[in-house]
Amino acid sequence: ARFFRGGVLTPAKVRRFSERLAENYSTQTCRRVLTTFRRLCDWMVAEGTITESPFRGVTIPPDTHRDRRPVRYTMDDVDATVGTDLASLRNRTILRVLVDTGCAVTHLAYVTDDDLSLANGTMRIGGTVHQLTDATLTELAEYLMIRDQMIELAGIDYDGRIRALWVSLTAGTLG
């Protein structure tokens, strides 16, 4: 198989590449790059582009994250650790929505006022409409009452733009 600048890609070259990666990047990054590259070579073998994978005998670092088990939290755990200041009230509301919906944090960061319907008890997150519990709706209503204080303290000027649901006192909106 030809490699980027010519020459044959051999297991020895792949091992050297792997060593250089390990010198500059985390184990997880090395694993991701090498696994992707190995899958490409396996596909090339299957397609007949190359006769043998250059990953023969090359060890990819183990996935150290596989041993981690998800930790399950309840709202009692959240309530026991969250304070009473404005940011803590916002954080507790965010955590309650996450517990209710199971959505990804990255999707929740981009929720706007238009995505929330307290009247219907729903929130659109990442294109999916979620039904919220009464406790979460109550928490959201309380958060919305204090959010205007947060907007004023953060000095956010929406100037006609769609309002982000979550507000940060230091950086403006979270999304």
Side-chain angles (χ1 to χ4, degrees):
R2 293 249 168 226
F3 193 55
F4 302 109
R5 292 188 205 157
V8 176
L9 184 58
T10 64
K13 288 181 181 178
V14 171
R15 277 192 289 281
R16 280 197 306 276
F17 176 67
S18 175
E19 290 165 3
R20 283 195 307 258
L21 278 175
E23 291 171 5
N24 297 303
Y25 299 98
S26 72
T27 302
Q28 287 307 109
T29 299
C30 293
R31 179 175 172 69
R32 186 171 47 252
V33 168
L34 292 171
T35 300
T36 302
F37 194 25
R38 182 187 63 199
R39 287 182 180 158
L40 171 65
C41 290
D42 291 346
W43 174 81
M44 291 173 72
V45 168
E47 290 291 310
T49 307
I50 59 176
T51 56
E52 188 175 38
S53 174
F55 274 84
R56 180 180 24 90
V58 175
T59 303
I60 293 179
D63 185 356
T64 56
H65 291 288
R66 290 229 171 191
D67 296 335
R68 295 182 185 172
R69 303 238 190 268
V71 178
R72 299 202 183 268
Y73 292 102
T74 65
M75 283 314 300
D76 291 338
D77 296 323
V78 171
D79 290 339
T81 60
V82 176
T84 58
D85 61 307
L86 295 176
S88 292
L89 293 171
R90 178 210 53 220
N91 294 345
R92 186 178 67 219
T93 305
I94 289 172
L95 290 170
R96 188 172 289 281
V97 171
L98 290 171
V99 168
D100 251 15
T101 63
C103 73
V105 174
T106 53
H107 289 155
L108 191 59
Y110 293 98
V111 172
T112 66
D113 283 357
D114 292 343
D115 296 320
L116 175 63
S117 172
L118 291 176
N120 293 328
T122 60
M123 181 182 286
R124 187 177 55 240
I125 305 170
T128 302
V129 176
H130 298 271
Q131 188 68 45
L132 303 173
T133 62
D134 289 341
T136 299
L137 290 168
T138 300
E139 190 90 25
L140 276 162
E142 290 173 11
Y143 165 72
L144 290 173
M145 287 191 293
I146 64 149
R147 184 182 66 170
D148 287 338
Q149 292 175 338
M150 295 177 78
I151 289 170
E152 187 176 318
L153 288 171
I156 300 170
D157 180 14
Y158 281 100
D159 193 32
R161 293 178 290 142
I162 295 174
R163 291 171 54 129
L165 186 60
W166 312 111
V167 176
S168 166
L169 292 173
T170 56
T173 61
L174 296 184

